[in-house]
Amino acid sequence: MRTTRTRPAAFRLSVLALGAGAIVSTVLTACSPVVEEAASTPDVVAAIAPPAVNEEGVLSVCSALGLGAVPLFYFDESQEPQGIEIDMARDVAARLGLEYRPVSTAFPSLVPSLDARQCDLVMGSLFITDERSAVVDFVPYLKSGSALIVRSDDDDAVSGFGDDLCGRRVGVTTGGSAAVAMKDFAAECDGASPLVLTEVDSAATGRQMLLNDQLDVMAGSSADLYYIASESQGAIEVAGEPFETFEVGAAVRKDNTELHDAVAEAFDAMVADGTYDDILAERGLEAISFFG
């Protein structure tokens, strides 16, 4: 399945996936250990070694950790990688007989970093698109989408994705799918009521601008925005339904069929023994399951 856009969509998820940012690619070596052990040791489904991975005994995984995409992937207060997708990456590594090594990478650099062999795998809310599928292979593992949030005390707030976005100040995360959708939609607005776009580095920045009345609407990944709304103590609410739907996939290089097939086998085993569902249920995000 590829991108589907409707106005508004009937796609109903409580939380979904995400955004973009701007930090340099670097292997974590400061506050967090270079190599992290999986929390538990599931059965190994495939023994993977170089050249399928860059380093013996290690699965290096690129994620845009600096975005702070709670609850999918982020640094905790101790600068340790955490989140649903991080837990899944750790589990995949363990099932391949490898140790998980996080590589923090700017979101727009995820695929280029993989191509440059700075990591073996990308896991971090990377939407499966035709353009990306032309250069990498994917193993799908989550559902995702784009959504809107508004201030709860805004009596003139939009009710969802549609014509009343024209004339509004709309924030988008740089490089995210919602930014592309909003740029396309802005071109349809009448010149007398333009949609004014502001690109921000994260959903958290957009949240603050929304609360400060610098934006009327924030558009971004459903996971980010639903989480922001749930934590706002009623100050922010979701406007309408998600307006795009996607599949999220783990990306491997085109020439790495061995790793692709092993990752797919690892996810099958994760689903079969219930670990996959447990990871989602721990944060109440069963709705974003790809396998449900």
Side-chain angles (χ1 to χ4, degrees):
M1 185 173 75
R2 295 291 183 259
T3 305
T4 303
R5 185 176 301 160
T6 59
R7 232 193 262 175
F11 184 68
R12 297 177 182 272
L13 295 180
S14 59
V15 283
L16 304 151
L18 127 69
I23 57 174
V24 295
S25 172
T26 177
V27 177
L28 306 183
T29 57
C31 298
S32 57
V34 172
V35 174
E36 297 185 0
E37 298 286 350
S40 59
T41 307
D43 292 338
V44 174
V45 298
I48 297 297
V53 290
N54 294 331
E55 182 178 340
E56 184 75 36
V58 172
L59 182 70
S60 55
V61 182
C62 283
S63 306
L65 289 161
L67 286 176
V70 180
L72 297 170
F73 52 89
Y74 59 96
F75 287 121
D76 64 16
E77 292 180 355
S78 300
Q79 290 300 294
E80 297 286 348
Q82 303 293 347
I84 287 172
E85 293 183 82
I86 301 305
D87 288 350
M88 289 182 178
R90 288 190 178 104
D91 192 86
V92 167
R95 292 178 194 272
L96 302 187
L98 304 171
E99 295 175 327
Y100 164 72
R101 175 178 291 168
V103 181
S104 185
T105 309
F107 191 85
S109 299
L110 288 174
V111 172
S113 294
L114 178 67
D115 188 57
R117 298 182 180 273
Q118 295 177 18
C119 56
D120 304 308
L121 183 71
V122 172
M123 286 183 65
S125 296
L126 192 64
F127 294 161
I128 301 175
T129 65
D130 291 336
E131 181 180 7
R132 288 172 179 156
S133 295
V135 294
V136 297
D137 286 332
F138 283 100
V139 177
Y141 62 94
L142 289 176
K143 294 177 182 177
S144 183
S146 297
L148 306 174
I149 54 174
V150 297
R151 290 185 308 279
S152 300
D153 63 0
D154 183 356
D155 294 334
D156 193 36
V158 301
S159 58
F161 187 86
D163 292 340
D164 58 350
L165 282 168
C166 295
R168 311 293 180 135
R169 301 166 298 168
V170 180
V172 293
T173 48
T174 302
S177 66
V180 176
M182 285 299 165
K183 288 175 183 177
D184 290 344
F185 183 78
E188 302 176 17
C189 292
D190 185 279
S193 298
L195 189 158
V196 180
L197 280 177
T198 298
E199 294 196 21
V200 298
D201 60 355
S202 69
T205 299
R207 166 193 173 277
Q208 195 58 48
M209 292 180 68
L210 187 65
L211 291 174
N212 290 343
D213 197 22
Q214 295 170 287
L215 296 173
D216 302 310
V217 184
M218 180 63 197
S221 77
S222 300
D224 283 347
L225 301 189
Y226 276 63
Y227 180 80
I228 284 172
S230 69
E231 295 294 307
S232 72
Q233 298 183 334
I236 292 173
E237 61 188 28
V238 176
E241 299 291 337
F243 58 89
E244 295 181 302
T245 63
F246 299 92
E247 292 174 359
V248 171
V252 300
R253 288 184 293 275
K254 280 283 187 183
D255 62 356
N256 202 346
T257 303
E258 181 182 359
L259 183 59
H260 173 277
D261 293 348
V263 170
E265 190 173 353
F267 269 107
D268 287 344
M270 196 189 307
V271 171
D273 69 14
T275 302
Y276 178 90
D277 288 342
D278 288 345
I279 290 172
L280 293 177
E282 183 180 351
R283 298 162 176 90
L285 300 185
E286 296 92 334
I288 68 175
S289 171
F290 176 78
F291 302 98

